[in-house]
Amino acid sequence: MIIQRVVLNSRPGKNGVPVAENFRLEQSTIADTVQAGQVHVKTLYLSVDPYMRCRMNEDTGSDYLQPWQLSEVADGGGIGVVEESKHHNLAKGDFVTSFTWPWQTEAILDGDLLQKLVPQLVNGRLSYFLGAAGITGLTALLGIREKGHVFAGANQTMVVSGAAGACGSLAGQIGRLEGCSRVVGIAGTDEKCSILVQEMGFDAAINYKKGDVAKQLRELCPGGVDVYFDNVGGDISDTVISQMNQNSHIILCGQISQYNKDVPYPPPLPPDIEKIQKERNITRERFLVLNYMDKQEASVLQLCQWIQEGKLKVRETVVEGLANIGAAFQSMMNGGNIGKQIVSVSK
C-alpha cells in the first residue's frame, strides 16, 4: 500500500535554527496485511512540540529522548482511527493515540502500544488529546502539583513564561484553578498578551519585546513571585528569578530559548542569579512528566472535566496537510503560533 511520510532530511546542527527544509515528504509503502496483535490506522492528527528540536541532533542531550535518524520517518504524539484490527482490544472505527506515532498518512502499528480514546470526554475535539487533555495538559497540571507547591488561600503569585504557548497557556489557567491568587504571563506580541488576559483569565501579561520587563514585573507582582512556570529560560527567566520570594518554586518545564544552543539541560544559571536562587532557597528541579504516569488517568479526567465545564480554555493552531509539517515546526520554534501546534493529516 502506498503512503506518504515525512523523514528527517537534514540536521540544523546543535546551534542551528530549524527550517522546513530539514524535513522531506516522500512516498513509501506499508504492508497490505495486518498480523496478529497489529492494527492498520489512518493518521488524523500529529503534534508538533518544542522538545522535538532536541531529537533533530545526533545527541539529544537526554537519556529519555531518542534522536531522529536521517532519511528515516519522524515520530511523536499522534491520533488516528483504526481501519483494520487483529488486536483483541481494538476494533475498526476506534480512535487511538500514541507518543511514538510515525509522521505518515497510514501505518501498521502494534496494538499494545496504542491507547484507546473516548471522544466524548473532550466534546468530540479529538485533537485535544494531543494538547489540553494529553501530554501537554498533563505537563502543566502535574508540574504545578508536583513542583509548584500551590495552596488555595495562600495568596500566591504565579508567573508563566512562554505563556501563549501550548503548555504555558494551560499552566496559567491551571495555576488559578489550583489556588493561585494572581497569574501573570509573559509572551512575545500584544495579540498574545490580549488573548491571555481576555480569553484565558490571566490577571496581566507582559510583552517582553516592549519596555522594561523587570519594571513591569515589579508593578504587576508587587508582592514578588511565589511560583514561576518556566518554559523559556535565558534572560527572561533570569529577570523573573531575581524577583522571586524566599522559599519560592520554579517549575522547570522547558527552555525553548536555549534549544538551538549547545548547552546542557537544564542550562546553568548565571552566577548572580544562581546566588539569588541559593540565598532565597528557590527550588529549581528538572520536571519530567513521564515520571508521573501513575497519575495520568486521574489527571486526564480532571483536565477533561475542566474542559467540559468551560474552566479550561483551549487554543490550537491547526495546519492542514502532512506536507506542511516542516513549516509548522519552523513556525512553532519561532514562536509564531498561539496554543498547541497541530497538523491535521486526514479528515
Side-chain angles (χ1 to χ4, degrees), residues 235-288:
D235 293 342
I236 293 295
S237 290
D238 296 345
T239 301
V240 177
I241 294 169
S242 69
Q243 298 190 34
M244 294 187 73
N245 293 324
Q246 193 75 23
N247 302 320
S248 53
H249 305 283
I250 299 169
I251 303 165
L252 194 59
C253 178
Q255 301 282 277
I256 195 169
S257 73
Q258 308 298 302
Y259 286 168
N260 294 328
K261 300 177 182 179
D262 187 8
V263 295
Y265 186 86
L269 297 170
D272 57 330
I273 301 300
E274 185 177 14
K275 182 180 179 182
I276 290 173
Q277 182 205 349
K278 290 180 178 179
E279 289 178 346
R280 298 181 191 172
N281 192 33
I282 302 170
T283 63
R284 183 181 184 256
E285 301 170 344
R286 185 175 184 174
F287 172 72
L288 179 59

Side-chain angles (χ1 to χ4, degrees), residues 5 28 30 112 150 167 174 222 224 246 262 266 269 299 325 337 344:
R5 68 176 192 171
S28 186
I30 59 173
D112 287 340
V150 173
C167 199
I174 291 171
Q246 193 75 23
D262 187 8
L269 297 170
S299 298
I325 199 167
N337 59 298
S344 176

Side-chain angles (χ1 to χ4, degrees), residues 81-208:
V81 61
V82 175
E83 298 283 285
E84 181 183 355
S85 175
K86 288 190 178 178
H87 186 273
H88 67 280
N89 195 41
L90 297 171
K92 182 177 181 179
D94 283 346
F95 296 105
V96 290
T97 188
S98 167
F99 293 140
T100 57
W101 198 284
W103 286 9
Q104 55 193 56
T105 51
E106 298 184 51
I108 305 292
L109 302 177
D110 181 348
D112 287 340
L113 302 180
L114 299 174
Q115 179 182 356
K116 192 187 299 187
L117 299 175
V118 182
Q120 292 83 354
L121 290 175
V122 288
N123 302 322
R125 297 292 297 272
L126 276 171
S127 58
Y128 283 11
F129 284 115
L130 293 177
I135 196 72
T136 309
L138 287 171
T139 299
L141 176 58
L142 292 172
I144 288 168
R145 287 184 171 176
E146 300 297 329
K147 300 295 184 181
H149 303 274
V150 173
F151 301 99
N155 197 32
Q156 291 163 296
T157 294
M158 172 186 277
V159 170
V160 183
S161 59
C167 199
S169 61
L170 299 171
Q173 298 179 76
I174 291 171
R176 172 62 54 74
L177 290 166
E178 289 289 286
C180 285
S181 60
R182 185 164 182 79
V183 178
V184 176
I186 302 175
T189 69
D190 289 342
E191 179 193 10
K192 291 178 179 179
C193 290
S194 177
I195 288 171
L196 290 174
V197 174
Q198 297 180 15
E199 185 176 316
M200 298 185 172
F202 284 61
D203 292 284
I206 297 170
N207 181 349
Y208 70 86

Side-chain angles (χ1 to χ4, degrees), residues 7-22:
V7 304
L8 185 65
N9 186 52
S10 59
R11 300 188 190 278
K14 279 200 169 184
N15 296 300
V17 178
V19 294
E21 291 72 25
N22 290 134

